[in-house]
Amino acid sequence: MALFDYLKSTLLSKVVMAVTGVILVLFLIGHCVGNMQVYIGQEVFNRYAHFLQGLGELLWIIRIVLFVCLVLHIITSIRLKWLNFQAKGQKYEVKNYVKAKLTGRTMIWTGVLVVAFLVYHLLHFTIGVIDADNFSKRNMEYYKGEVVIAEDKVLNGESNEIGKLERQAETIKVEGKELSKENDVVLFFRPDAYSMVVKSFRQPLYAISYIILVIFVGFHLSHAIQSAFQTLGLNHPKYNCFFRAVGPWLSTILVICYISIPITIWFGLVGGGV
Amino acid sequence: MKLTLHIWRQKNAQSKGHFEKFQMNDVSEDMSFLEMLDLLNERLISEGKDAIAFDHDCREGICGACSLTINGTPHGPEAATTTCQLHMRKFKDGDTLYIEPFRSRAFPVIKDLIVDRSAFDRIMAAGGFVSVRTGQPQDANAIPISKEKADLAMDAAACIGCGACVASCPNGAAMLFVSAKISQFAMLPQGQPERKRRALNMVNQMDKEGFGACTNHYECEAVCPKKISVRFIAQMNRDYLKARILKEKD
Ligand code: HEM
Ligand code: FES
């Protein structure tokens, strides 16, 4: 297939690894910033989660882009790993690495752990198969919201469409609920993602497995980010201290932020009210 | 000095190969590594045995013929030094050394420690040159080149094509060599007319020879006897991408 012709070139394959990898890293940064809202509180966190769910087509576009990146990244990594294994040929009896670090030499294995984590994480918090009792769709909460009526759509304050508009003479109804005026404050339902996360991470098994797998994602990124710069041709003595350092630093910061959530919840510092 | 050597012996490309152990009791600190092997070979020859085959030529660190992976590091433990320039005083009395050929699928062993590095010659033939028409030599100062560019081009041109980069690479990649050979011209005005074509053809030949894909460990830069910088790999990536994606030939 012409689409996969790039696999015949080592350099183009590397560029595909780098571009898809960087897009995935940008997602991880965005996701991390979003998650940090758990420290602001239940209200903000749930509003954010609900906002993401309400993105509709945009959410699916993001999901598809990320999925395509991941698939290309994995296919290319397997092809390159096989090529490199072939190219190396016979191993040395004694091998002494001067500069190559373990994180760099284990990319394919930390990559496999990233996939394992991804599947586990989606089953846990997105699809709700793992720890199903706690899954947010079953944990609903009331929240106060202002109704905004735009033409025939009824939106809540987060611009999510929340129901069908029915106009009967003087009264306005949304899904059978009567509103007194067009900008009313009413109670709505939304998934209580905050409580779900808190209840899950209070169970040591979920907290520990999450922490360990996130650390492996960190190992992957610690080599990957500087590698992507170099692959994309970004190397200059003036800026190399940045290009080389940003990987370990960024991945350390990301790992600390991500794992701080299960740790603070586990130790009861966050989510005490749930 | 006393040394215990484990040296890779292999009759020819087809045979399997094995380590052979040698005890050296009379090594001088002032010998080069290759002279130490010469000493061993004299002994083997006088005993009527087959001498150990290893590559060498200039013995002054400029030709790139010598090779050897010594205790897991191509050209041995001393940075920025070829095996021929490595002195025995860099080792300790009583050391055990494993001496292996440069290993990579694209560098098949011919005999003992000698490998076939002609893949590099074919990569050079694919584009590692500038096409110059014969005729009157032009004035030496006709083409201005900045000092910085000239220095950088010289840094790339310092590559002696020994293949230590390939031998050290966990992926058997030849990108440091190929990038140095591309960059030495890419920095100079004389290299511009064939710049993208050169990158395209040399990288394609590199892929054809079965070298691996760089994963940016920079092990090559660390063992390179001429300290070729991996910045040339980034330079090659840029040139190749421009040639491939923009479909520009020059
Ligand atoms: C969230 C998921 C992931 C992110 C953010 C990510 C990020 C990256 C980045 C930025 C690179 C550097 C590209 C380059 O060297 O030019 C990379 C390389 C790599 N990734 Fe991933 N990756 C992810 C998942 C995976 C998975 C699932 C696998 C394999 C099963 C994998 C295997 C590899 C391999 C083998 C390399 C090449 C190693 C190297 O260049 O040194 N990655 N990754
Ligand atoms: S023999 Fe010429 S560089 Fe070592």
Side-chain angles (χ1 to χ4, degrees), chain B residues 97-129:
Chain B
L97 305 181
Y98 279 82
I99 306 171
E100 300 179 61
F102 277 4
R103 293 208 185 279
S104 152
R105 184 64 50 88
F107 286 169
V109 173
I110 298 171
K111 185 174 173 20
D112 294 344
L113 301 170
I114 299 183
V115 295
D116 176 2
R117 286 173 278 185
S118 58
F120 273 12
D121 300 337
R122 291 187 291 274
I123 293 173
M124 290 305 280
F129 49 80

Side-chain angles (χ1 to χ4, degrees), chain A residues 10 84 87 98-100 226 233, chain B residues 105 207 213 215 218-219 221 238:
Chain A
T10 49
N84 290 344
V98 182
K99 211 167 186 177
Q226 62 80 26
Chain B
R105 184 64 50 88
D207 285 354
T215 51
Y218 314 134
E219 189 68 14
E221 181 183 72
R238 294 198 295 271

Side-chain angles (χ1 to χ4, degrees), chain B residues 145-210:
Chain B
I145 303 169
S146 72
K147 168 97 170 87
E148 290 76 12
K149 285 273 173 209
D151 284 351
L152 208 52
M154 270 310 289
D155 287 348
C159 171
I160 53 177
C162 64
C165 43
V166 177
S168 71
C169 178
N171 308 313
M175 296 211 180
L176 193 64
F177 166 76
V178 178
S179 71
K181 295 304 178 190
I182 289 175
S183 298
Q184 62 185 2
F185 298 126
M187 307 286 170
L188 297 177
Q190 293 89 338
Q192 299 314 309
E194 294 155 309
R195 180 169 177 177
K196 302 217 175 82
R197 196 187 307 263
R198 178 181 305 114
L200 210 55
N201 293 343
M202 290 180 79
V203 170
N204 287 347
Q205 187 64 35
M206 171 186 84
D207 285 354
K208 262 192 227 145
E209 297 291 344

Side-chain angles (χ1 to χ4, degrees), chain A residues 8 19 33 43 54 77 83 119 136 139 144 207-208 214 232 243 266:
Chain A
K8 289 188 198 136
V19 171
V33 172
E43 166 62 26
S77 73
L83 177 90
V119 171
S136 63
N139 256 309
K144 274 196 191 145
I208 291 172
V214 167
L232 296 174
F243 292 145
W266 192 12

Side-chain angles (χ1 to χ4, degrees), chain B residues 10-49:
Chain B
Q10 186 170 335
K11 238 196 180 70
N12 52 41
Q14 285 74 41
S15 61
K16 240 185 124 253
H18 60 93
F19 279 98
E20 194 172 341
K21 191 173 166 185
F22 298 97
Q23 195 62 46
M24 300 288 286
N25 296 323
D26 43 4
V27 177
S28 153
E29 298 197 321
D30 298 330
M31 285 176 173
S32 78
F33 201 87
L34 297 186
E35 283 164 346
M36 185 272 295
L37 289 180
D38 290 338
L39 190 70
L40 174 59
N41 272 347
E42 275 170 26
R43 190 174 93 197
L44 291 177
I45 291 166
S46 70
E47 290 169 0
K49 291 182 187 151

Side-chain angles (χ1 to χ4, degrees), chain B residues 233-246:
Chain B
I233 299 182
Q235 160 88 47
M236 169 180 73
N237 293 350
R238 294 198 295 271
D239 281 5
Y240 180 81
L241 264 190
K242 276 189 213 148
R244 266 307 281 265
I245 291 177
L246 305 179

Side-chain angles (χ1 to χ4, degrees), chain A residues 65-76:
Chain A
V65 168
L66 290 174
F67 183 74
V68 169
C69 283
L70 191 70
V71 169
L72 286 177
H73 194 82
I74 293 173
I75 291 175
T76 315

Side-chain angles (χ1 to χ4, degrees), chain B residues 34 56-66 82-84 160:
Chain B
L34 297 186
H56 61 101
D57 188 11
C58 71
R59 297 211 177 195
E60 54 185 17
I62 55 168
C63 75
C66 59
T82 53
T83 299
C84 61
I160 53 177

